[in-house]
Structure formats: C-alpha cells, structure tokens
C-alpha cells in the first residue's frame, strides 16, 4: 500500500537520487494521482500535489558522438560550455 512521504523516506529518496547522479545517470520519477473527473484548469503546481510515487529510475543518457567535436568548436570560438543535455 501507499506510504506517506515523511522526512526519513524523503532523505532515502534524495540519497538514491544522489547515487544516480554520482553514476552519471538521469533521474526519472514515475507517479500518479487519481481524479474523480478531468480537471478543467489548475493553478501552477496544483496538479503535482498528492501524487503516489510508483518508481524512481536512473537512466543512462550517453553523450551523442558529435558532442565532443561540438564542444571543441565552441571552445575555439571562445564559448564556455557549462552543460550538455
């Protein structure tokens, strides 16, 4: 059954997310919420409340082959690359 998200569980989930990050993995959370009827509209962030977490996944997302060359080109042009997504 569902377990409420308390401070201990939250800390465990954050530790797992940090572990994914340390391994170079992207984190994907899968969650749901049941509605009696389809919401017509909602304030920003309202629909993300009261979700039930189903899974926390670590996804490998390797750099595409052309990325290292593109970064070298940027550096030669004086562009500092901070992040590649």
């Amino acid at each position: 059954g569902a377990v409420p998200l308390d401070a201990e569980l939250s800390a465990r989930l954050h530790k797992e997310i940090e572990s994914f990050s340390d391994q170079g993995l992207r984190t994907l959370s899968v969650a749901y919420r049941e509605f009696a009827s389809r919401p017509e509209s909602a304030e920003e962030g309202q629909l993300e409340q009261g979700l039930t977490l189903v899974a926390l996944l670590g996804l490998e997302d390797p750099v595409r082959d052309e990325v290292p060359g593109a970064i070298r080109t940027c550096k030669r042009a004086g562009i500092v690359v901070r992040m590649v997504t």
Side-chain angles (χ1 to χ4, degrees), residues 21-85:
S21 179
D22 291 345
Q23 298 172 64
L25 302 175
R26 292 183 184 250
T27 300
L28 176 67
S29 298
V30 180
Y32 74 94
R33 176 177 167 193
E34 293 184 21
F35 292 93
S37 62
R38 182 184 177 127
E40 293 298 319
S41 65
E43 296 291 321
E44 185 175 334
Q46 185 180 12
L47 296 178
E48 291 84 10
Q49 300 297 316
L51 298 172
T52 298
L53 180 66
V54 176
L56 189 64
L57 309 167
L59 302 174
E60 186 174 342
D61 188 12
V63 173
R64 294 186 317 228
D65 293 340
E66 63 271 16
V67 169
I71 292 173
R72 284 191 295 276
T73 300
C74 288
K75 286 183 179 181
R76 284 195 301 269
I79 299 169
V80 177
V81 177
R82 300 278 186 212
M83 180 186 301
V84 177
T85 62

Side-chain angles (χ1 to χ4, degrees), residues 2-24:
V3 176
L5 181 62
D6 59 14
E8 179 183 343
L9 181 54
S10 179
R12 286 178 36 210
L13 292 171
H14 281 276
K15 185 176 180 181
E16 190 65 32
I17 291 168
E18 287 178 21
S19 174
F20 290 157
S21 179
D22 291 345
Q23 298 172 64

